[in-house]
């Protein structure tokens, strides 16, 4: 899947040292997808990173763009320990 990172996503990816491979996996092979509660054009994609203590990466993207535009990505502390 083709994608582009917003300026914010580029910044947080670099600052938080989130490998692009993880972001790509969340886009291509999400464990689950959740609609945004405020914007129907945005979705949250979740990906469990087994090699990183089963932490959950949340990637927020615009769902109707080509290529997909990633708004932000972060390890979601609220999801830690949840079975997805």
């Amino acid at each position: 899947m083709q994608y582009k990172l917003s300026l914010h996503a580029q910044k947080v990816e670099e600052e938080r040292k989130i490998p692009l491979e993880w972001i790509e996996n969340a886009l291509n092979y999400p464990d689950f997808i959740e609609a945004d509660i405020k914007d129907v054009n945005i979705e949250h994609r979740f990906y469990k990173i087994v090699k990183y203590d089963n932490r959950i990466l949340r990637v927020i993207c615009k769902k109707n763009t080509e290529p997909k535009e990633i708004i932000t990505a972060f390890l979601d502390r609220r999801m830690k320990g949840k079975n997805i």
Side-chain angles (χ1 to χ4, degrees):
M1 174 182 293
Q2 295 292 323
Y3 67 92
K4 70 177 186 173
L5 298 172
S6 69
L7 292 177
H8 174 74
Q10 289 174 34
K11 181 179 176 184
V12 297
E13 177 265 335
E14 190 175 296
E15 287 176 350
R16 298 172 184 166
K17 297 178 177 43
I18 300 172
L20 284 176
E21 178 185 2
W22 292 358
I23 293 172
E24 291 167 1
N25 286 341
L27 283 177
N28 295 317
Y29 314 107
D31 290 302
F32 76 97
I33 299 173
E34 181 178 273
D36 189 80
I37 60 173
K38 294 181 180 178
D39 189 336
V40 297
N41 297 309
I42 293 176
E43 64 186 11
H44 300 237
R45 291 176 177 233
F46 297 84
Y47 180 71
K48 183 186 283 188
I49 305 163
V50 176
K51 293 181 179 182
Y52 195 50
D53 197 27
N54 290 322
R55 306 258 326 256
I56 306 297
L57 179 68
R58 180 187 295 242
V59 174
I60 301 174
C61 62
K62 293 183 180 178
K63 65 180 184 178
N64 297 323
T65 60
E66 259 326 299
K68 284 266 189 262
E69 183 178 350
I70 298 170
I71 298 167
T72 193
F74 58 93
L75 293 166
D76 193 336
R77 293 180 186 168
R78 293 177 292 175
M79 297 296 291
K80 189 173 183 177
K82 293 193 178 178
N83 191 16
I84 64 169

